[in-house]
Amino acid sequence: MNKTIRRKNLLKVSGIAVGVLALSSTLLVAPSQAAPATGSPIKVGVLTDMTGAFAIVGKSNKAVAQFTIDEINKSGGVLGHKLVMDLADGGSAPDVATQAASRLVNQDHVSMVVGGVASFTRVAVRGVIATRGKTLYVWPASYEGNECTNNVWNTGSAPNQQVDPTVKYLLAQGKKTFFLAGSDYLYPRNILARVRQDVLAGGGSIVGEEYVPLDMTDASNLTSKVVAANADALFEVVVLPGTAPFIKGVVDAGYKGTIAGTLFDEGINPLIGTEAQGLIGVQDYYGPIKDAFSQSEVAKFNAQHPEAKGLFTSTFNAPAWYRSIYLWKAAVEKAGSFDTAKVNKAMDSVSLSKSIGGPVGFAPGTKHLKLSMYLGQSNGDGSETVLKSLGQISPYQCSAATN
Amino acid sequence: MKRRMRIGIAVVCAVPILSPLLFLSGNDYLIQAATRIFIYGILVLSVEMCWGQTGIFTFGQAAFFGFGGYFAGYMAKNENITDLGVLLLIALVAGVIAGTLIALFLFSGKRVGELYVALVTLAISYVCEKLANSWTFVGSGNGIPGIPFPTIFGKEISSSIALFFIAFGLFAVSMIICILIIDSQFGLAINAVRDDEERAEFFGYNRSLIQIIIFIFSAVLASIAGALFSLSEGFISPSSLGLTLSTSTVLWVVLGGKGTFYGPMIALAILESVDVEMQRALPSLWRILVGLMLLLTMIFLPKGLMSLGEKSRNKREQKKTT
Amino acid sequence: MKLLQVVGISKNFGSLAALKDVSIHVESNEIVGLIGPNGSGKSTLLHTICGRTIATSGSVLLSGKELVTSNPMVRAKSGMAIKFQLARIYVEKTVSENIMLSLQSKDGIWSLIRSASSKKFIPKIEELISEFQLSDYANTKAKFLSHGQQQWLEIAMAMASNPSILLLDEPTAGMSPKERADTAKLIKRASEKCGVLIVEHDLDFIKDLCDRITVLHYGSVISSGTPKEIENDPKVKEVYLTRV
Ligand SMILES: Nc1ncnc2c1ncn2[C@@H]1O[C@H](COP(=O)(O)OP(=O)(O)OP(=O)(O)O)[C@@H](O)[C@H]1O
Ligand SMILES: [Mg+2]
């Protein structure tokens, strides 16, 4: 009696265990995909953070991707195939992002992946997508540089494209002494290293350099150091959520110098408030740039995607997302195929005569874009004034070692 | 042989028999997802041994997971040590060292409360995440990307199926070892420490030594799981050390039922296998639902889902004796 | 040398002096009773002996070894075993497992991991549970036992560790007269192997069982002697016996 009860129990529980395993293994099984049949839709993997800290950026990215794909489909698709967006949420965390990327590549067999918001996501997913997954990966964000992995293409601005013209402008304005401040991680450190190099090369001097924890919200300590140093210019890369309290603090404490950075535009200014007045920066797009194509495209975007109205900004990587998909389209058409190796080869030299922000194109051998850049000054109401159109700036060169 | 061991052997046998189903799909994503479940399974085992079986409420087990992951990842990437056995050994040693330091701090003195242990371990996990986030030597916020695949006898292990079997194999070995421990006389002793540690001392048990041993053992399990994670995923980042993973682990254990041994692993397998799809279907709702599930379980089933079976078993037993 | 010698124990809980200069001793194979009204400090005295509380001053010697500041583990290893006033057994474990827990407590960790002594202890477990009338419940979880059975189980566990001194805090509380009589026999049998110090309320129960009795009142010893002497001590009559 006792034995049979126990055996029944064993059967039941091992049945459950086996069932769970079977369920988890078959629940999501999708038939694997061969080469696309003519006319069948092509999946574009869109990886962004729909949840977590960067959800606001994800909202913009998703809308821009959908807008671009719709536009391409309306004009006939790519090589006769319609595009469909395959959205994956990176959850603002690298381990979530790799899982999402793996689904795109290994289960959905997308033709390419565009996306990632933070650099930690890029370095985590590029192995899954580009190296192990042998799928084209377009990284559409302004970043710290040095990404030269095979199958990876950078379509955001690199440090030199933002930093060099900004520092040049400040030096030309007669600024001699600089204070550098940033959050303590790779991006700010690399940007500020470039600033230091440019300032010293241009005859200026660095009077202070400070790094604060990523999640700093009480900026008073840093603020007092900046005010005490009283440099002609402050170059800052303190990221959210610290940006606003820091800049407010510095301005309110009576700092008279010029504040410059890489992260000011219509997306970020409203968070800073009236203290944003006079902030200097260089971006690949601002709302008021004098470019008819950009103006009409963004107007269309705002009309078609009211949920993301006002989110088409450079700091949310919107122009980079837009051109990423068009550049890939151009490469596919040039290669006459969706095959990764062929498209990868074609990417090296594709360009767009029209894009939001102006003409762009890959500088062969660099994996980075020759980008149209603009010098901008923020206004207290959150808007930007374009001080100067800088034309196309040559891309960044990868150093031999990649990180 | 006890029930727990029979189930364990059944699971160990069922996986290789059923897994070809998974491989036939040709879907690497699923194979990787299953691999991850086994890796996290080792982590869950470590928490079950500590908390479920010995009453040590380790709320920061991810710290050891990340520690092993960073050690193995760093060695593989920067020191060109790629042999799987050597890397796992490194993770084991790292786990012993980290586990011993913390265990001695927590348990060598007077008895400390469950909550105290939870808070200290949680704080350690938090500090480790912060530290890794700002320490350039280990890549700051980016962590260590591009970790090469491990090798066995010089051969690179790069196929998802091979990684699946490595993860499964280590999981199976860990699980069987845990079962052997729980079913041994030592298992009885650790349960005694869990149920009434003061009473155990009055029987002459070295309560502090028992807690230290189990804590180190579970730190080693977590560390090996972390090493496996960084090698199979190819990267390790501060979030693998931190609060999110630590709390997820506790969530699996609570949902499944701590002390029920299989409950936490079943909760992990179910939640992990639906997580990505649910996150996709209900992007803003899913996490809230999981939280709600946790809350409801804690209120209505404080011993977790597996306690449902336990209840009916108890009833039968009571009937038998009266 | 006396087996257990407790000398001049005092214990203060804040301003409350729970024990005042209490001395008591137990010889091998002797049963010593400890009586006194509620709150007189009986349990506290047992606790200072077994290490649950540390005495404010005084000395606890077991076979001449000073243990007054030792931790419970050391005291248990030196040969003390206790049954608490409220049974503290492992309710989620079976009766056999509870006994095993006590039997194996002095094994080394490695021997425990290998389960080296599990076979060896089986006859010992069977002997103990049959002695304590628990044979039918060997594989029953302790939480399903009756109140009296739980007390027996705890005594059986205490005996399993083969102690030199057995401390019993109200072993018959809540038992039926028949169970009490059985318990008395069990204790008598236990005293063939060790010394017994027993806290009780029921003088009738204890006077037939004990060789000597000590009476506590407000933390002080007011009388000590054979059961006969205690029964006839007017001080005892006044503070204790009249109230029962
Ligand atoms: N941990 C403690 N903290 C403070 N006071 C205590 C503590 N333990 C016991 N006491 C007090 O010490 C006195 C003696 O208590 P004790 O439990 O030893 O009495 P007892 O003789 O065993 O009584 P009973 O017959 O009710 O079991 C009581 O006044 C009690 O309230
Ligand atoms: Mg008492």
Side-chain angles (χ1 to χ4, degrees):
Chain A
M1 180 63 205
N2 201 347
K3 263 234 165 79
T4 54
I5 286 181
R6 266 203 255 129
R7 190 162 316 130
K8 246 199 237 154
N9 246 331
L10 170 67
L11 279 177
K12 205 167 65 190
V13 179
S14 51
I16 293 171
V18 168
V20 166
L21 277 164
L23 188 78
S24 52
S25 59
T26 50
L27 193 68
L28 313 170
V29 172
S32 58
Q33 225 178 26
T38 27
S40 66
I42 291 289
K43 284 182 190 161
V44 173
V46 169
L47 175 67
T48 186
D49 297 329
M50 300 307 295
T51 51
F54 308 129
I56 177 77
V57 184
K59 196 171 173 185
S60 166
N61 295 165
K62 180 190 172 195
V64 174
Q66 190 65 62
F67 172 76
T68 314
I69 286 171
D70 288 346
E71 199 175 74
I72 290 172
N73 285 341
K74 237 174 273 163
S75 63
V78 180
L79 295 182
H81 296 269
K82 291 262 184 267
L83 304 182
V84 288
M85 174 163 91
D86 191 342
L87 181 69
D89 178 14
S92 306
D95 48 339
V96 179
T98 45
Q99 214 168 357
S102 173
R103 174 177 65 76
L104 293 176
V105 171
N106 298 313
Q107 175 166 286
D108 296 355
H109 302 281
V110 296
S111 229
M112 69 104 161
V113 178
V114 52
V117 174
S119 267
F120 62 69
T121 301
R122 180 189 90 252
V123 297
V125 301
R126 71 179 173 204
V128 176
I129 302 170
T131 313
R132 298 183 180 185
K134 301 193 171 42
T135 302
L136 204 79
Y137 174 40
V138 184
W139 161 245
S142 146
Y143 84 121
E144 68 278 2
N146 226 18
E147 174 58 74
C148 292
T149 311
N150 189 30
N151 290 337
V152 180
W153 297 89
N154 307 284
T155 58
S157 49
N160 65 314
Q161 288 165 318
Q162 286 187 284
V163 171
D164 294 1
T166 310
V167 173
K168 196 173 154 205
Y169 169 79
L170 293 170
L171 289 169
Q173 293 288 302
K175 312 290 175 197
K176 287 268 173 279
T177 53
F178 287 72
F179 193 100
L180 315 185
S183 303
D184 194 3
Y185 73 107
L186 219 57
Y187 175 71
R189 281 187 178 273
N190 273 23
I191 291 285
L192 293 179
R194 184 89 192 180
V195 174
R196 172 180 281 273
Q197 186 186 322
D198 287 352
V199 167
L200 297 179
S205 65
I206 311 285
V207 296
E209 184 164 354
E210 289 290 332
Y211 292 91
V212 293
L214 243 174
D215 52 2
M216 175 204 73
T217 47
D218 176 20
S220 49
N221 195 13
L222 179 59
T223 304
S224 55
K225 281 184 190 160
V226 170
V227 173
N230 196 27
D232 297 339
L234 164 66
F235 202 111
E236 76 90 42
V237 197
V238 173
V239 298
L240 296 176
T243 323
F246 173 52
I247 290 179
K248 274 185 208 281
V250 170
V251 173
D252 296 347
Y255 176 66
K256 290 282 177 289
T258 303
I259 304 175
T262 53
L263 295 167
F264 306 133
D265 75 351
E266 296 92 337
I268 303 292
N269 291 346
L271 302 175
I272 301 171
T274 51
E275 285 89 344
Q277 175 63 46
L279 299 175
I280 295 294
V282 168
Q283 301 290 2
D284 56 0
Y285 167 81
Y286 287 113
I289 60 168
K290 291 194 188 64
D291 178 73
F293 178 75
S294 302
Q295 292 295 345
S296 82
E297 284 291 282
V298 175
K300 260 192 258 170
F301 171 84
N302 284 334
Q304 284 175 28
H305 289 277
E307 83 280 4
K309 193 163 187 287
L311 298 185
F312 197 102
T313 71
S314 183
T315 44
F316 291 165
N317 304 327
W321 273 76
Y322 177 85
R323 61 181 172 254
S324 293
I325 301 175
Y326 269 109
L327 284 162
W328 168 77
K329 172 181 185 277
V332 170
E333 285 167 349
K334 192 171 151 199
S337 160
F338 288 97
D339 180 76
T340 300
K342 289 179 187 155
V343 178
N344 194 44
K345 215 166 152 206
M347 277 298 260
D348 195 43
S349 58
V350 290
S351 60
L352 305 173
S353 58
K354 284 189 303 186
S355 186
I356 297 179
V360 295
F362 278 107
T366 68
K367 290 178 160 289
H368 287 78
L369 289 175
K370 214 185 250 190
L371 268 175
S372 302
M373 303 298 290
Y374 304 87
L375 179 69
Q377 185 170 38
S378 308
N379 302 314
D381 63 358
S383 68
E384 285 279 342
T385 301
V386 178
L387 296 180
K388 194 175 169 194
S389 171
L390 302 166
Q392 284 199 354
I393 298 185
S394 283
Y396 179 82
Q397 304 283 332
C398 272
S399 61
T402 59
N403 56 359
Chain B
M1 211 190 304
K2 291 197 182 161
R3 221 187 83 202
R4 191 177 0 243
M5 182 58 104
R6 289 198 304 260
I7 298 173
I9 290 174
V11 172
V12 170
C13 295
V15 170
I17 294 170
L18 286 173
S19 53
L21 263 176
L22 185 65
F23 307 146
L24 279 177
S25 74
N27 186 333
D28 265 8
Y29 165 66
L30 284 185
I31 301 169
Q32 284 164 13
T35 307
R36 225 186 240 230
I37 290 178
F38 286 125
I39 292 172
Y40 285 148
I42 301 175
L43 179 63
V44 165
L45 270 176
S46 80
V47 175
E48 168 68 8
M49 285 306 281
C50 245
W51 191 27
Q53 300 294 329
T54 319
I56 303 168
F57 189 179
T58 168
F59 209 134
Q61 203 67 0
F64 298 115
F65 183 86
F67 200 60
Y70 265 96
F71 251 85
Y74 184 87
M75 290 295 171
K77 186 171 179 190
N78 300 325
E79 306 293 332
N80 289 322
I81 299 171
T82 55
D83 187 81
L84 181 68
V86 175
L87 288 172
L88 291 179
L89 200 69
I90 288 172
L92 186 144
V93 172
V96 169
I97 292 170
T100 306
L101 288 177
I102 297 168
L104 286 178
F105 169 73
L106 281 174
F107 304 117
S108 59
K110 283 225 171 70
R111 282 190 306 273
V112 289
E114 201 179 35
L115 217 60
Y116 174 79
V117 174
L119 287 178
V120 169
T121 48
L122 191 69
I124 288 169
S125 168
Y126 177 78
V127 168
C128 285
E129 186 176 11
K130 289 272 145 195
L131 210 73
N133 238 321
S134 54
W135 193 15
T136 344
F137 180 68
V138 292
S140 309
N142 283 358
I144 305 178
I147 297 169
F149 283 114
T151 55
I152 295 180
F153 298 124
K155 264 220 178 103
E156 192 189 65
I157 311 299
S158 59
S159 91
S160 302
I161 295 178
L163 290 166
F164 171 91
F165 275 113
I166 287 169
F168 166 69
L170 276 169
F171 168 78
V173 170
S174 311
M175 181 171 75
I176 299 292
I177 290 176
C178 289
I179 296 173
L180 285 172
I181 290 177
I182 296 172
D183 287 347
S184 75
Q185 288 179 277
F186 186 59
L188 198 56
I190 66 176
N191 284 176
V193 168
R194 171 192 66 191
D195 295 343
D196 189 342
E197 51 181 311
E198 192 190 19
R199 189 59 175 113
E201 289 183 334
F202 288 117
F203 282 124
Y205 282 103
N206 192 337
R207 182 264 319 159
S208 133
L209 183 63
I210 289 174
Q211 286 175 323
I212 289 172
I213 287 175
I214 289 292
F215 195 82
I216 295 171
F217 172 73
S218 84
V220 166
L221 279 188
S223 174
I224 286 178
L228 216 50
F229 178 88
S230 73
L231 295 173
S232 77
E233 302 271 328
F235 87 102
I236 185 88
S237 70
S239 66
S240 290
L241 283 158
L243 297 190
T244 316
L245 182 58
S246 282
T247 32
S248 297
T249 317
V250 169
L251 179 120
W252 294 323
V253 173
V254 170
L255 272 182
K258 84 176 159 80
T260 61
F261 196 74
Y262 289 111
M265 287 183 276
I266 292 175
L268 157 75
I270 294 175
L271 277 182
E272 268 293 292
S273 45
V274 302
D275 191 63
V276 174
E277 289 309 307
M278 291 308 278
Q279 183 74 24
R280 204 173 169 194
L282 310 164
S284 46
L285 261 179
W286 175 235
R287 287 284 134 82
I288 299 173
L289 277 178
V290 172
L292 211 63
M293 237 161 16
L294 180 69
L295 208 67
L296 290 176
T297 326
M298 274 157 97
I299 295 169
F300 295 109
L301 283 175
K303 286 180 185 160
L305 297 173
M306 283 297 269
S307 66
L308 288 173
E310 190 108 330
K311 258 183 205 153
S312 66
R313 212 167 40 245
N314 271 345
K315 244 179 232 155
R316 269 204 305 277
E317 199 171 317
Q318 197 163 20
K319 240 179 235 155
K320 230 168 38 195
T321 58
T322 49
Chain C
M1 189 170 41
K2 291 181 174 108
L3 174 67
L4 174 70
Q5 181 138 33
V6 175
V7 189
I9 288 283
S10 297
K11 176 68 197 176
N12 301 330
F13 291 115
S15 61
L16 173 81
L19 293 174
K20 287 170 247 170
D21 193 22
V22 176
S23 297
I24 193 169
H25 69 270
V26 184
E27 302 283 3
S28 264
N29 309 327
E30 187 187 30
I31 305 180
V32 175
L34 185 62
I35 61 171
N38 286 108
S40 57
K42 306 180 296 290
S43 295
T44 305
L45 182 61
L46 285 200
H47 292 164
T48 59
I49 296 173
C50 76
R52 189 175 186 197
T53 49
I54 300 292
T56 310
S57 63
S59 151
V60 173
L61 298 162
L62 186 63
S63 308
K65 189 174 161 197
E66 177 62 85
L67 293 172
V68 72
T69 55
S70 303
N71 64 35
M73 177 187 77
V74 170
R75 299 191 205 208
K77 287 206 160 132
S78 310
M80 280 186 193
I82 183 166
K83 179 222 157 292
F84 288 100
Q85 186 165 353
L86 299 167
R88 275 174 86 176
I89 52 178
Y90 288 100
V91 291
E92 292 295 334
K93 297 289 174 198
T94 67
V95 169
S96 310
E97 284 171 333
N98 268 285
I99 307 271
M100 176 66 102
L101 262 172
S102 176
L103 282 172
Q104 66 174 28
S105 62
K106 287 170 193 75
D107 284 10
I109 300 262
W110 181 234
S111 137
L112 291 180
I113 292 174
R114 286 182 302 137
S115 285
S117 53
S118 64
K119 289 247 155 52
K120 186 179 86 192
F121 285 140
I122 290 175
K124 184 87 191 145
I125 293 175
E126 278 167 0
E127 182 196 318
L128 272 162
I129 60 177
S130 84
E131 187 178 342
F132 285 85
Q133 303 175 27
L134 294 166
S135 294
D136 294 344
Y137 306 97
N139 296 314
T140 303
K141 278 191 186 168
K143 64 180 170 188
F144 299 124
L145 296 180
S146 73
H147 180 75
Q149 288 168 331
Q150 292 191 347
Q151 311 255 47
W152 281 346
L153 176 57
E154 199 177 15
I155 301 174
M157 289 168 81
M159 287 312 290
S161 67
N162 204 10
S164 53
I165 177 80
L166 177 63
L167 309 168
L168 300 171
D169 199 345
E170 304 198 15
T172 65
M175 283 188 179
S176 67
K178 155 114 186 31
E179 285 175 324
R180 270 168 197 249
D182 288 346
T183 309
K185 273 184 226 146
L186 290 170
I187 294 171
K188 200 87 205 163
R189 191 120 34 93
S191 71
E192 290 162 15
K193 295 175 197 148
C194 59
V196 179
L197 177 59
I198 174 169
V199 169
E200 257 304 331
H201 273 300
D202 182 353
L203 190 69
D204 288 334
F205 174 82
I206 212 168
K207 75 175 185 222
D208 298 333
L209 192 61
C210 294
D211 301 307
R212 287 183 294 111
I213 292 175
T214 293
V215 186
L216 273 184
H217 184 47
Y218 286 123
S220 303
V221 176
I222 55 162
S223 182
S224 192
T226 63
K228 270 254 134 51
E229 289 165 358
I230 295 298
E231 258 185 314
N232 297 325
D233 187 329
K235 267 189 293 179
V236 176
K237 273 188 185 147
E238 190 191 322
V239 303
Y240 186 72
L241 300 180
T242 51
R243 289 169 55 181
V244 176

